Amino acid sequence: MARLTIIKQDNPLIRKTSKTVDDFSPRLHEILDNMYETLLHANGMGLAAVQVGILYRMAIILTEEYGVIEIINPIIKTAKNQRIDTEGCLSCPGISGRVRRPHFLILEYQDRNGAKQTRTFHNMDAVCCCHEIDHMNGILFIDKLEK
Ligand code: CO
């Protein structure tokens, strides 16, 4: 495994829309393994591929309920229980702020083998999923701060 460089908010790549993943080969697994090592080393809760300059719709999340989850090509099926919580981002070091997010989320996604999964996420796990999905669309939490 190898650690990757996390790009910051001033890098224009962070604003790009990521592409659908359609190749579930060992090369993808290697990228995901490297993202995991990068996330652990950075002491974060979640990391989207765009944050290491890879413009594909995938992210790793350290959930409370399920442990490590890889979400690839996620689709939000249900989002409810909107609440405001404080969050930060590895691409925005030193910044935190209050964002309104759903705390109940049903997500369809693919795993690293391309198999379709459906899972329910609660509380900060749901917040983290939404934060990472925003990254896939070039959106940062600082765009959504409560006044
Ligand atoms: Co982030």
Side-chain angles (χ1 to χ4, degrees):
M1 287 205 283
R3 210 179 296 150
L4 307 169
T5 301
I6 298 175
I7 65 171
K8 302 301 191 293
Q9 62 179 117
D10 58 351
N11 186 320
L13 275 183
I14 204 82
R15 292 299 184 175
K16 300 281 189 191
T17 299
S18 295
K19 296 182 282 285
T20 300
V21 176
D22 54 13
D23 175 8
F24 295 86
S25 69
R27 173 66 188 142
L28 177 78
H29 300 175
E30 187 184 330
I31 293 169
L32 288 165
D33 291 343
N34 290 342
M35 284 174 58
Y36 179 66
E37 184 177 329
T38 304
L39 176 60
L40 288 191
H41 182 261
N43 205 21
M45 286 175 59
L47 183 71
V50 61
Q51 292 181 274
V52 291
I54 297 170
L55 291 172
Y56 282 96
R57 303 184 77 79
M58 55 189 188
I60 299 182
I61 296 162
L62 306 184
T63 68
E64 287 179 19
E65 196 167 357
Y66 307 114
V68 182
I69 295 279
E70 295 169 345
I71 56 170
I72 301 173
N73 302 329
I75 300 167
I76 295 173
K77 304 305 284 188
T78 301
K80 54 188 188 182
N81 296 358
Q82 298 278 338
R83 294 208 303 265
I84 297 172
D85 265 308
T86 301
E87 58 189 83
C89 178
L90 293 174
S91 294
C92 308
I95 303 174
S96 64
R98 290 154 52 76
V99 182
R100 182 181 302 274
R101 303 270 195 195
H103 283 59
F104 179 94
L105 196 69
I106 301 175
L107 212 60
E108 273 183 18
Y109 59 94
Q110 286 168 280
D111 64 22
R112 62 164 56 200
N113 299 309
K116 287 236 164 86
Q117 307 287 340
T118 302
R119 204 183 279 267
T120 303
F121 295 92
H122 302 91
N123 302 316
M124 289 314 286
D125 293 347
V127 169
C128 200
C129 286
C130 292
H131 177 119
E132 301 313 328
I133 292 168
D134 273 353
H135 273 303
M136 298 173 197
N137 297 316
I139 297 166
L140 298 175
F141 84 99
I142 52 175
D143 305 339
K144 296 188 158 182
L145 295 178
E146 289 291 315
K147 298 291 182 287

